[in-house]
Amino acid sequence: MHELSICASIVDSVLEELKNKKIAPNKLRKCGIVAGALRQIVPEFLKDAYKMTTNGTGLEDSEIVIEIAALTADCPDCGWSGELKELNYLCPACDSVLKLNNGTELYLSDLEYIT
Amino acid sequence: MSVEKVKVYKDLMGENEKWAAETRKLLSGKNVRMINVIGSPGSGKTSLLERMVRDLGDKCAFAVLEGDVETTADADRIAALNITASQLLTGGACHLEAKLVYYALRDLPLDDLDMVVVENVGNLVCPAEFDIGEHAKIAVLSVTEGEDKPSKYPLLFHESSAVVLTKTDLLPYLDFDKAECLRHIEKVNPNIPVFEISSKTGDGVENWIEWVMSERHAGLVRNPN
């Protein structure tokens, strides 16, 4: 259940951003986050955790939209480049060690609100 | 009424990262190295620490932080060996976070220590997500857990600096395919060192201790006091 800890961080970040932008929490409709595939986030758990964590914060009318960012890599030896369905550092074409591009990111990407 | 959308790009692990950075600052100021030991419940983490206390005790002054959901049983096991051990109870949470570790470290006699070993909550998923300010994560995998765990829980093995394969004394009784397991580890972390040990018989412990000591000295100048 690391989703609950991560959600506490999401709610803090959202409230801080809204405050900086002088937007009332109850105006928020959607908050978008991007999670790399390696983060092992279960979107359904994160949505439930968001409902629990936002209770009493003014963010109750908003929903969380989660985008899972694919794990992509390049091969420095043969030039292979593509998406990995699972973490495998060995190039599918030549077995050399791949260079990962992303997959561990976790950030708040956008806020959608009514004016 | 209209709907507007703004782009943000804000790192969500920021608060934890902040405490992790504070922890690294605290440790480097005191010349103390910290390792974060992560593995499943029952993978042999506490037995490994008991073995380390026995074999490393006189070469290196260290303290242990035990992370658990409930009970002080593990800290009691380590304290029985005359090593400073603190229990960090997460009260339900499945991993340790940097802030809790920071405050626990401040209660340790860091001036008298060379190393702090943190035994994280038994779990292969969540502890890998949270930087606690350690210098190295260590993945503990027992031969009774199956060869494919590194591929099933890739983040931990990806983030770790070493793998300790425990309970090797049981290999004659199992169908465990070690080469296959090493292949799974290589897939997620191609150059990671793997130490095959038995905490029960002591087999392989020497190599592990040697690595821990070299890790202890990596990047550190011993405090002249």
Side-chain angles (χ1 to χ4, degrees), chain A residues 56-76:
Chain A
T57 63
L59 297 171
E60 293 86 347
D61 291 336
S62 66
E63 61 167 330
I64 187 167
V65 180
I66 303 139
E67 181 192 333
I68 302 292
L71 180 60
T72 64
D74 299 322
C75 178

Side-chain angles (χ1 to χ4, degrees), chain A residues 21-92:
Chain A
K21 295 181 190 324
K22 298 188 169 44
I23 301 165
N26 62 5
K27 301 281 187 196
L28 189 76
R29 289 297 169 266
K30 280 181 191 169
C31 77
I33 74 145
V34 175
L38 279 181
R39 284 280 171 189
Q40 304 169 108
I41 301 262
V42 183
E44 288 309 314
F45 287 177
L46 195 59
K47 283 180 185 171
D48 289 345
Y50 187 78
K51 271 185 210 154
M52 280 189 259
T53 322
T54 49
N55 201 6
T57 63
L59 297 171
E60 293 86 347
D61 291 336
S62 66
E63 61 167 330
I64 187 167
V65 180
I66 303 139
E67 181 192 333
I68 302 292
L71 180 60
T72 64
D74 299 322
C75 178
D77 285 346
C78 76
W80 181 91
S81 179
E83 183 183 335
L84 299 174
K85 290 292 172 207
E86 60 177 33
L87 182 63
N88 184 347
Y89 264 99
L90 305 180
C91 175

Side-chain angles (χ1 to χ4, degrees), chain B residues 160-204:
Chain B
S160 291
S161 301
V163 176
V164 181
L165 191 62
T166 58
K167 307 190 189 182
T168 54
D169 54 296
L170 295 176
L171 281 171
Y173 312 102
L174 303 169
D175 293 329
F176 185 81
D177 183 340
K178 200 171 73 189
E180 175 71 8
C181 181
L182 295 176
R183 177 80 183 159
H184 281 285
I185 294 171
E186 190 192 9
K187 270 169 60 180
V188 297
N189 198 339
N191 299 313
I192 192 170
V194 180
F195 298 94
E196 299 167 25
I197 71 144
S198 164
S199 298
K200 192 172 177 180
T201 67
D203 272 357

Side-chain angles (χ1 to χ4, degrees), chain B residues 112-129:
Chain B
D112 304 330
L113 294 176
D114 296 314
M115 183 179 280
V116 173
V117 182
V118 180
E119 180 182 343
N120 217 308
V121 180
N123 184 333
L124 291 178
V125 183
C126 314
E129 298 271 347

Side-chain angles (χ1 to χ4, degrees), chain B residues 7-205:
Chain B
K7 290 276 175 202
V8 182
Y9 299 113
K10 189 180 169 80
D11 181 14
L12 287 169
M13 300 301 272
E15 183 67 12
N16 191 65
E17 296 295 330
K18 199 183 84 189
W19 286 103
E22 284 297 316
T23 294
R24 281 198 189 88
K25 209 164 88 187
L26 174 69
L27 291 171
S28 66
K30 301 283 186 186
N31 242 335
V32 174
R33 201 88 175 146
M34 184 163 87
I35 60 174
N36 180 5
V37 178
I38 304 174
S40 305
S43 58
K45 297 183 295 301
T46 313
S47 296
L48 175 70
L49 297 194
E50 285 175 322
R51 190 80 211 189
M52 284 174 70
V53 170
R54 231 178 297 164
D55 293 18
L56 193 57
D58 54 344
K59 292 183 213 154
C60 176
F62 71 101
V64 172
L65 296 179
E66 285 285 349
D68 270 306
V69 174
E70 292 290 351
T71 87
T72 59
D74 284 359
D76 295 344
R77 274 172 68 179
I78 301 297
L81 302 168
N82 292 323
I83 290 284
T84 305
S86 303
Q87 185 77 51
L88 309 182
L89 290 181
T90 64
C94 50
H95 58 271
L96 291 173
E97 291 189 23
K99 188 176 179 182
L100 182 63
V101 172
Y102 178 81
Y103 280 101
L105 283 173
R106 297 220 339 198
D107 289 338
L108 288 178
L110 292 177
D111 287 329
D112 304 330
L113 294 176
D114 296 314
M115 183 179 280
V116 173
V117 182
V118 180
E119 180 182 343
N120 217 308
V121 180
N123 184 333
L124 291 178
V125 183
C126 314
E129 298 271 347
F130 294 86
D131 182 359
I132 55 168
E134 75 279 329
H135 297 98
K137 287 189 176 73
I138 310 297
V140 174
L141 176 67
S142 64
V143 296
T144 53
E145 290 171 71
E147 300 88 350
D148 57 354
K149 294 298 172 285
S151 292
K152 284 188 172 170
Y153 303 93
L155 188 65
L156 170 62
F157 292 87
H158 172 62
E159 297 272 317
S160 291
S161 301
V163 176
V164 181
L165 191 62
T166 58
K167 307 190 189 182
T168 54
D169 54 296
L170 295 176
L171 281 171
Y173 312 102
L174 303 169
D175 293 329
F176 185 81
D177 183 340
K178 200 171 73 189
E180 175 71 8
C181 181
L182 295 176
R183 177 80 183 159
H184 281 285
I185 294 171
E186 190 192 9
K187 270 169 60 180
V188 297
N189 198 339
N191 299 313
I192 192 170
V194 180
F195 298 94
E196 299 167 25
I197 71 144
S198 164
S199 298
K200 192 172 177 180
T201 67
D203 272 357
V205 174

